[in-house]
Amino acid sequence: MGGPLGAIIGRHPAAAGGGGEDELGGGGGGGGGGDGIIRHNRRCRDLAFLVLFAAFWVAMIVNSSFGFNQGNPLRLTYELDYKGNICGSRHGDPDLHELDVRYWMNPNQVYQSGVKDNKINLADAKAICLMECPIPAADGLNFVCDYPEGDIRLSVDDWINRDYDYFEFLTPDMRNSSLQLQGPCYPVIFPSVNVYWSCQFIARASNVSLKHWQQMGGINIDENILIDKTIHKAINSKSSVLKRYVADIGKSWPVLIVCGGLLPLFLSVIWLLLIRYFVAAMPWITVVLFNALVISVTMFCYIKAGWLGNDPLTVVIGESDPYVHITGREISHLHAATVVMTVVMIIAFLSSIAIIRRILIATPVLKVAAKVIGEVQALIIFPVVPYFILAIFYMFWFSATLHLFSSGQVLRNDCNTDCCSYDLKLGKVNCDNCCGYSMHYTPHIGIAILFHLFGCYWATQFFIACSSTVIAGSVASYYWARGEISHDIPFVTVVSSLKRLLRYSLGSVAIGSLVVSAVEWVRFILECLRRKLKLVDSARESCFGKMTSSSSQCCLGCIDWTLKSVNRNAYIMIAITGKGFFKASVLATGLIMNNILRIGKVNVIGDVILFLGKLCVSLFCALFAFLMLDTHKYKSAHNKISSPLVPVVVSWALGFIVAKLFFQVVEMSIDTIILSFCQDAEEHQGNAQYAPPLLMETLDEQSELQRLTQGP
């Protein structure tokens, strides 16, 4: 073990003359006046990784600056017209700030783009931006005409007021061109509905409008169902769905602030206070509340999936024909999430039954943590510091995310189609500008997004690790003070532990958080590769291949869990000894292995109860997010979200992170006390000298509790 730790962190006379900036003035009692609680000749550790972390932050800022410079979040919600303008943008030509729905003017182009081996793509079909999707006239024929310019002396407002129809003002040449479906005016033959700000054609032509069109001498219009499927396929492409999901985050930012920030803060503090004053009842309350919340969230998923009640998710924005049924990928994803939540609900219920007999083991160790929180009172307040740091970081990160995902370039397509349309500026039919515009994403944008996502995970792990280390240092000070509390300990221990972290151990924390983040991302990348290989070669996938894939994922999951456990204990030893990350990991692992039978069950059951507590907070945030998103604000007009799934999942994740920040006060208190106890016992031939009386009673009770709970 590299020598006793008591001489480093305890109140032995050898530590009395240490002094220095990292000395915590101790007071009260024990081994001689002036003894320090934590006193050690520390020095900065793992500086190379601290430099790496600083370089990472510089890269994050540069990467985000690229997104802020090139991106436009409007691109995530609204589409492009045939001129490359973003619908709903004030900076288009013309000004389109009121015109946010994309409408394809030529129905034959839409049909042809869906025919196999046809050169024309839907992205090249002529589309303009309107206020709402047009519908056929009940007793005549409506037209939708191009943006007014050239010889058409109408303002955009007049054009809108005329329902985009100025057919009566056309010259004979323009009318003849329009009857050939070459513009500038096109007939409204098919009804359409607003599906995520694009007009989805319904392949049900108006007989009245079609008859008037034919009487005017218009060319034949294809009425195939393909006109419906082509647009539906484009709206539900994977890239379009991903953009809508990211846009949902931007639209639901009030929900994220309330359910991902303020609500978990309030619930976590309440939970800590309940642990402090009602520790015996909290394990039972936590288990019951966890099951109730899992059931509630699952029921909301059933409602939104349309499997329960009459309020399913709809893809249509605004009112539509009740007989028109349009589905999307978002609904399929919600169905999948509902199935997953059902499985989770069943597993949660069965697991709760399994651990009921073990809850008695968790109660004594939680009492020890409650005792520490009561003595070192600043521990309840301290998590607010990393909470606000993370809140500022997440606001910056989410804003950068919206811009990065929308940072592609708007470029004209490279097409070889033969099509013509009337150019109002030139005053004639032009066959040279058939290609439309699309968003083009270069490979470096994908790399920038992946780096941005990895950066969020590493930064989150880093701040949580810093908080854990400060808490561990504070609790260690309490333990090695023999439980003798001076007037300094309740608050100064936390401040001193924070100073030691900032001065000596940031590099060690940086490498610990990097290791966990790297393993998580290796798992993510391997899972993506596995999915792609499965799609490519699903028919020939052997049993051996399936077994290898599953076992590799299982092994990586075990490695990830082990690393997180080792890291948590390493942070404790870093706080206590000031060692570097790898040396601290060795010390912590050695202590645990030497005392695994003594502390294993106590620690595991305590961790389970704390994990359920975090899930309770995060599930309550998810449930409240469902309730907020179920209001009229997020179900209509411009604030309508494509699906509650992503905002709810993000609220759950943020709630879990906030709960983790606060719950680790209890978690790290338990782990630090137990590790300190193990080291204390090793230094004193199996009899811990510095352990508080309550801890001694708790660990002595374990054999009796195990006999009571396990039976004969």
Side-chain angles (χ1 to χ4, degrees), residues 26-315:
D35 289 349
I37 296 171
I38 290 186
R39 208 178 283 200
H40 179 44
N41 294 325
R42 296 175 182 248
R43 61 185 178 87
C44 295
R45 305 283 186 175
D46 300 316
L47 283 177
F49 291 97
L50 182 59
V51 172
L52 177 63
F53 188 69
F56 150 75
W57 268 103
V58 172
M60 277 284 287
I61 293 172
V62 172
N63 191 54
S64 300
S65 299
F66 166 78
F68 285 119
N69 184 50
Q70 300 291 329
N72 183 352
L74 283 177
R75 297 171 184 166
L76 299 173
T77 301
Y78 306 110
E79 300 295 341
L80 305 175
D81 67 2
Y82 76 95
K83 292 185 173 185
N85 299 316
I86 303 172
C87 293
S89 173
R90 293 179 178 274
H91 306 294
D93 178 25
D95 183 351
L96 303 175
H97 74 279
E98 292 182 333
L99 308 171
D100 38 33
V101 183
R102 175 179 57 171
Y103 174 73
W104 286 275
M105 304 176 74
N106 189 337
N108 277 3
Q109 280 188 328
V110 175
Y111 169 77
Q112 291 164 10
S113 65
V115 177
K116 290 184 178 180
D117 301 325
N118 200 302
K119 292 182 179 180
I120 189 171
N121 294 317
L122 188 61
D124 299 319
K126 190 163 186 174
I128 63 172
C129 303
L130 307 177
M131 290 185 69
E132 55 188 16
C133 295
I135 57 175
D139 55 357
L141 178 63
N142 293 338
F143 285 88
V144 170
C145 301
D146 202 351
Y147 302 126
E149 54 189 358
D151 293 335
I152 305 299
R153 307 295 182 181
L154 286 175
S155 67
V156 173
D157 289 338
D158 290 336
W159 173 65
I160 295 173
N161 292 334
R162 295 181 59 85
D163 289 333
Y164 326 108
D165 184 356
Y166 51 75
F167 185 82
E168 61 185 273
F169 298 150
L170 299 184
T171 64
D173 287 342
M174 291 180 181
R175 291 196 177 198
N176 183 60
S177 173
S178 297
L179 292 174
Q180 299 301 313
L181 288 181
Q182 293 179 345
C185 294
Y186 296 83
V188 180
I189 302 297
F190 297 94
S192 58
V193 294
N194 183 349
V195 176
Y196 300 132
W197 307 103
S198 290
C199 291
Q200 167 73 63
F201 283 11
I202 308 300
R204 189 179 61 199
S206 167
N207 293 329
V208 174
S209 297
L210 191 59
K211 181 178 179 181
H212 277 79
W213 171 254
Q214 293 169 346
Q215 291 174 348
M216 293 175 66
I219 66 171
N220 183 57
I221 291 179
D222 297 302
E223 302 179 55
N224 198 288
I225 189 68
L226 199 58
I227 196 172
D228 185 320
K229 292 182 177 180
T230 302
I231 296 177
H232 186 268
K233 182 179 178 180
I235 293 175
N236 284 284
S237 66
K238 291 182 179 179
S239 60
S240 297
V241 173
L242 177 60
K243 288 196 297 182
R244 289 198 291 270
Y245 279 157
V246 177
D248 288 343
I249 296 175
K251 293 176 183 177
S252 60
W253 64 265
V255 176
L256 300 185
I257 290 176
V258 173
C259 300
L262 301 178
L263 185 60
L265 171 64
F266 173 76
L267 294 175
S268 298
V269 172
I270 293 297
W271 199 90
L272 284 182
L273 292 174
L274 289 175
I275 276 286
R276 171 70 182 89
Y277 295 105
F278 304 100
V279 63
M282 281 310 294
W284 303 100
I285 294 173
T286 300
V287 171
V288 172
L289 189 60
F290 168 68
N291 282 277
L293 288 170
V294 168
I295 294 172
S296 299
V297 172
T298 305
M299 291 303 101
F300 254 104
C301 289
Y302 271 91
I303 291 170
K304 287 302 169 186
W307 293 346
L308 186 67
N310 298 311
D311 190 24
L313 181 69
T314 174
V315 301

Side-chain angles (χ1 to χ4, degrees), residues 20 47 80 150 155 235 311 393 428 435 456 464 532 542 570 647 668 709:
L47 283 177
L80 305 175
S155 67
I235 293 175
D311 190 24
F393 169 73
K428 63 178 182 179
C435 299
C456 176
I464 291 176
K532 285 192 174 182
S542 63
M668 295 303 290
T709 54

